[in-house]
Amino acid sequence: MKNRLTADDVTPKHLYLNRRQIMAGLGGIAAGSIGGPLMARTPDQAPGVDMAGGETANTWEDITTYNNFYEFGTAKSDPVENAHRLTTSPWAIEIDGLVERPGTYSIEDIVSGMTIEDRIYRFRCVEAWSMVIPWQGFELGQLLEQVGVQSGARYVAFQTLVRPEEMIGQNRATVPWPYREGLRLDEAMHPLTMMATGIYGETIPNQNGAPIRLVVPWKYGFKSIKSIVKITLTDEQPENSWNQILSREYGFYSNVNPQVDHPRWSQASERRIGDGLFARRRDTLMFNGYEDEVAGLYEGMDLAEFY
Ligand SMILES: Nc1nc2c(c(=O)[nH]1)N[C@H]1C(S)=C(S)[C@@H](COP(=O)(O)O)O[C@H]1N2
Ligand SMILES: [Mo]
């Protein structure tokens, strides 16, 4: 389901819930969901309902209190405690490199031109936990088309804001700031790759990457860079933070792959946040369950070498 929205953002909550209920009545396929029948659990519904394909979206509480965002500290509980200090307005993204129309674009200008979509995605952290999250946002490819990709471009590089006064984790050198990520151009143009501005029809909370973050559902969570201020089209593979820190453990591709272990732990199963401490772990799916959609991007590549 698509709808055009203005600068003031994603679907209001009451409309969102309405559409959810309508979609549930239509047989349980969530609007815009790709990669399997997943159902949203709205923030005001009891957990454990709406099972379809055996998976339920995580609660607002789970999604917004158990986070990785090292700009606000390294503990999972640090972002929810510290991220309120971040000023997210005004916000702009500088887009440069091999593009036809480089410039610094305000978030209002970017969002107002986009088709906003609802997408419920599985999310898998490299630390072997997972969630199911109902996002609102637009396809990154739509933005790249608007700025015009030059023919020599092969990769897209992203950077997060550096503002240690507000991002208190940046006062420590846990990551060589700014946090950076990158995608191959064909990965960036894939329709599953989105720029998210909302969760559950609400403005995206600071701890989840306000006002705008990347979501790449077939890759480990660290590829989904938060609070983006810069996008650069390049002809060379860009740096990505976790590869800079520990290249043997974190590669550039970082596709979810149950057959390739992390050097210090298996990636064959995962713990779904919200399942409870004693629940059975789930088998991790190749490409996080999006194999039909994305396997073609890696045809002929050795995914153990290009991890
Ligand atoms: N800028 C920035 N982006 C980031 C991170 C980070 O520390 N800084 N952590 C990554 C990791 S490891 C994960 S698992 C996801 C977590 O997203 P979530 O908190 O919305 O679930 O954000 C990713 N994006
Ligand atoms: Mo992660």
Side-chain angles (χ1 to χ4, degrees):
M1 186 173 289
K2 298 181 178 192
N3 59 325
R4 282 200 103 83
L5 293 174
T6 55
D8 46 18
D9 209 6
V10 295
T11 320
K13 186 177 171 189
H14 66 280
L15 289 180
Y16 179 77
L17 296 179
N18 251 333
R19 279 191 292 155
R20 283 279 158 238
Q21 284 147 11
I22 292 162
M23 293 314 286
L26 290 176
I29 306 301
S33 82
I34 299 180
L38 305 179
M39 280 298 294
R41 179 163 89 214
T42 55
D44 53 352
Q45 282 178 309
V49 296
D50 287 338
M51 302 295 284
E55 295 196 75
T56 307
N58 280 89
T59 59
W60 175 262
E61 173 81 7
D62 288 340
I63 295 166
T64 61
T65 61
Y66 190 89
N67 300 100
N68 267 340
F69 200 168
Y70 276 27
E71 283 82 345
F72 297 104
T74 55
K76 303 283 178 275
S77 56
D78 285 339
V80 65
E81 269 175 44
N82 299 324
H84 66 272
R85 293 192 178 87
L86 178 65
T87 313
T88 58
S89 177
W91 194 274
I93 302 182
E94 182 186 354
I95 305 181
D96 68 1
L98 301 172
V99 291
E100 305 292 348
R101 288 171 288 282
T104 300
Y105 297 92
S106 74
I107 180 121
E108 289 81 7
D109 283 347
I110 291 173
V111 174
S112 67
M114 298 298 153
T115 306
I116 300 291
E117 318 230 2
D118 284 329
R119 300 277 178 86
I120 302 174
Y121 282 162
R122 292 187 195 87
F123 179 90
R124 170 64 156 75
C125 179
V126 73
E127 293 168 285
W129 52 266
S130 64
M131 292 200 209
V132 175
I133 304 182
W135 298 105
Q136 289 76 47
F138 56 86
E139 291 177 10
L140 172 61
Q142 240 200 313
L143 174 60
L144 296 179
E145 270 165 27
Q146 286 204 357
V147 294
V149 177
Q150 289 182 18
S151 61
R154 296 279 175 277
Y155 295 91
V156 187
F158 304 86
Q159 290 186 12
T160 295
L161 178 70
V162 180
R163 193 183 287 161
E165 318 86 82
E166 293 182 359
M167 299 176 120
I168 62 169
Q170 286 182 334
N171 294 301
R172 291 171 51 207
T174 48
V175 172
W177 312 111
Y179 193 98
R180 292 154 229 257
E181 259 307 335
L183 295 172
R184 224 170 51 191
L185 184 61
D186 58 344
E187 298 175 322
M189 297 301 291
H190 193 281
L192 283 176
T193 301
M194 84 191 276
M195 295 285 272
T197 54
I199 295 175
Y200 269 124
E202 303 282 356
T203 298
I204 193 169
N206 285 5
Q207 61 269 33
N208 293 88
I212 189 162
R213 60 93 57 87
L214 188 67
V215 180
V216 193
W218 70 95
K219 293 177 180 281
Y220 292 118
F222 66 86
K223 299 294 290 182
S224 291
I225 182 173
K226 296 175 167 180
S227 304
I228 294 167
V229 293
K230 188 163 188 201
I231 298 177
T232 308
L233 279 287
T234 67
D235 56 359
E236 277 179 30
Q237 184 177 303
E239 302 264 32
N240 61 302
S241 291
W242 282 100
N243 183 254
Q244 288 183 297
I245 297 165
L246 279 167
S247 62
R248 211 177 68 83
E249 300 190 4
Y250 307 103
F252 176 76
Y253 285 92
S254 294
N255 293 313
V256 174
N257 188 341
Q259 287 140 37
V260 175
D261 290 345
H262 182 280
R264 290 183 282 139
W265 56 78
S266 162
Q267 293 289 21
S269 71
E270 65 202 52
R271 180 173 68 89
R272 177 66 49 81
I273 300 302
D275 270 358
L277 225 45
F278 304 105
R280 203 179 65 80
R281 293 172 69 89
R282 296 168 190 245
D283 291 339
T284 290
L285 304 170
M286 187 65 199
F287 295 114
N288 204 24
Y290 300 94
E291 184 167 16
D292 289 349
E293 289 91 345
V294 302
L297 295 171
Y298 310 103
E299 240 164 52
M301 276 176 69
D302 178 349
L303 295 178
E305 185 186 345
F306 297 99
Y307 58 96

